[in-house]
Amino acid sequence: MPVAPMFPLGTVLVPGMVLPLHVFEPRYRRMVNDSRTHHDSTFGVVLIERGSEVGGGDVRTDVGTLARILRAEELPDGRWILGALGIHRIRVDRWLPDDPYPRAEIHEWAEQLREQAGAEDEEEAGAELAEGAADVRNEVTTLLRRAAALRR
């Protein structure tokens, strides 16, 4: 089973949704670097059931979404401004130690409807996703410009 870097959040990410992130914790800064270098710019996002996003010690759900980093800007102090897109649903098979950041063995959680869909439905869904991705790129570009203006 593939091992993925995981980003537990107090926010749900669904496939096709854009997730803007301000990454400031050292462990997640490292996760961004590793995701971009070793994981095809992907990481899992799961909801925190109990606890806090900052500092660890949280209780996480075992269902989430694989996200792909579309845009990334590293700030001079090492923080990151990211724009990520939810790709597909995932299920966590096993959580691994949070060293240096949360990681888990995952698999894609295929939906029955997708398995039953015909080629036409897939083509239509692909076209809608491409349109959505263009909108996402525009939104992320705006977010990065605003972040750059804040640095000045």
Side-chain angles (χ1 to χ4, degrees):
M1 272 173 229
V3 172
M6 301 297 289
F7 205 141
L9 292 172
T11 300
V12 174
L13 175 66
V14 296
M17 184 175 133
V18 177
L19 179 65
L21 289 170
H22 171 214
V23 181
F24 55 89
E25 278 190 76
R27 63 187 173 149
Y28 291 115
R29 291 180 192 186
R30 183 165 176 191
M31 184 203 77
V32 170
N33 285 321
D34 289 354
S35 294
R36 296 178 74 212
T37 305
H38 304 293
H39 297 279
D40 197 27
S41 292
T42 62
F43 58 91
V45 176
V46 293
L47 184 64
I48 296 174
E49 286 185 47
R50 284 190 316 273
S52 172
E53 288 182 354
V54 179
D58 50 26
V59 176
R60 307 161 184 157
T61 61
D62 288 336
V63 174
T65 300
L66 191 69
R68 173 163 285 122
I69 298 169
L70 297 178
R71 295 282 302 241
E73 181 177 339
E74 187 173 14
L75 302 175
D77 63 0
R79 293 175 296 138
W80 285 93
I81 302 296
L82 300 181
L85 176 67
I87 302 172
H88 59 74
R89 292 171 31 167
I90 58 172
R91 189 173 277 284
V92 173
D93 295 308
R94 184 168 72 100
W95 285 98
L96 303 174
D98 285 11
D99 186 19
Y101 46 77
R103 298 172 304 125
E105 293 178 353
I106 63 166
H107 70 271
E108 183 176 354
W109 189 16
E111 300 175 40
Q112 288 180 341
L113 292 177
R114 190 177 76 197
E115 292 172 358
Q116 296 170 356
E120 268 183 38
D121 293 337
E122 290 179 17
E123 288 175 17
E124 185 178 317
E128 288 177 16
L129 185 56
E131 275 182 41
D135 292 341
V136 168
R137 279 188 216 96
N138 291 336
E139 289 180 36
V140 170
T141 299
T142 300
L143 176 66
L144 291 172
R145 283 186 188 132
R146 289 179 182 165
L150 289 173
R151 288 189 320 202
R152 293 181 194 145

